[in-house]
Amino acid sequence: MHSALVTGTGLMGTSVALALRARANAGAVADLLDEVRSDLDRTVVGLRAIAATDEAKRRGGAEVVESMLRKGRSGRARISGKHGTQPERFEVVAVAIGDHPGELARLFADVERAGINIEDVRIEHATSQLTGLVHVSVAPGLTVPLKEVLQARGWRLR
């Protein structure tokens, strides 16, 4: 497992500043980026092969892409869960949310009203609208009661 700390600002690191720790492991960061670039190159070749007219090339391309997806899942599985423990499987409730002050707080308060703990949250922002989608992760078996409470409180579920 590689460890790197690189900080920066601006588009594509316009003014990139390597933190002291990153300076000490710049070679390791570069090695990791080389590996990522290699994986991306293989994936691009595989995807282009899938688009080919030759059946053998398409099969080969699919095998490459499947291999890269397996590698990604394997890498993801090595990332620890909350508090350094084994990753847990959560269930997700997707909630449409307006881009207004206090909306996220209101959603969290309604989840609390349901007596359910939010294990994780991910927010997607719609670029063309003043809405977003909040993915609320909860312990298995709690999505049905959470959905019932949220719908009763006027939330739009996806």
Side-chain angles (χ1 to χ4, degrees):
M1 170 106 10
H2 300 283
S3 173
L5 171 64
V6 178
T7 61
T9 59
L11 182 62
M12 294 300 292
T14 303
S15 62
V16 175
L18 292 175
L20 290 177
R21 182 171 160 215
R23 284 185 24 197
N25 69 351
V29 172
D31 291 346
L32 178 61
L33 292 174
D34 278 340
E35 185 178 334
V36 169
R37 179 180 50 208
S38 174
D39 287 348
L40 289 172
D41 288 344
R42 284 189 63 212
T43 304
V44 168
V45 169
L47 289 169
R48 295 213 188 282
I50 289 172
T53 56
D54 180 80
E55 182 61 31
K57 282 185 181 179
R58 284 200 308 263
R59 272 195 309 273
E63 289 173 9
V64 167
V65 171
E66 288 173 10
S67 168
M68 296 312 298
L69 290 171
R70 278 192 302 276
K71 183 176 180 179
R73 283 190 297 271
S74 172
R76 172 64 177 96
R78 290 191 312 250
I79 298 173
S80 64
K82 290 180 7 176
H83 314 296
T85 61
Q86 287 294 318
E88 297 178 51
R89 296 209 183 265
F90 300 117
E91 295 177 356
V92 177
V93 175
V95 183
I97 187 168
D99 188 11
H100 310 289
E103 284 293 278
L104 190 58
R106 187 170 70 85
L107 172 62
F108 284 6
D110 287 343
V111 174
E112 179 186 20
R113 255 188 212 97
I116 295 173
N117 187 52
I118 296 174
E119 300 295 342
D120 202 355
V121 66
R122 183 171 57 89
I123 303 172
E124 291 180 31
H125 301 277
T127 57
S128 61
Q129 302 174 25
L130 293 177
T131 61
L133 194 60
V134 178
H135 300 267
V136 179
S137 298
V138 297
L142 297 179
T143 56
V144 171
L146 178 58
K147 286 179 179 181
E148 290 171 354
V149 168
L150 293 178
Q151 286 176 321
R153 307 243 351 130
W155 292 100
R156 289 181 304 133
L157 306 180
R158 298 285 165 107

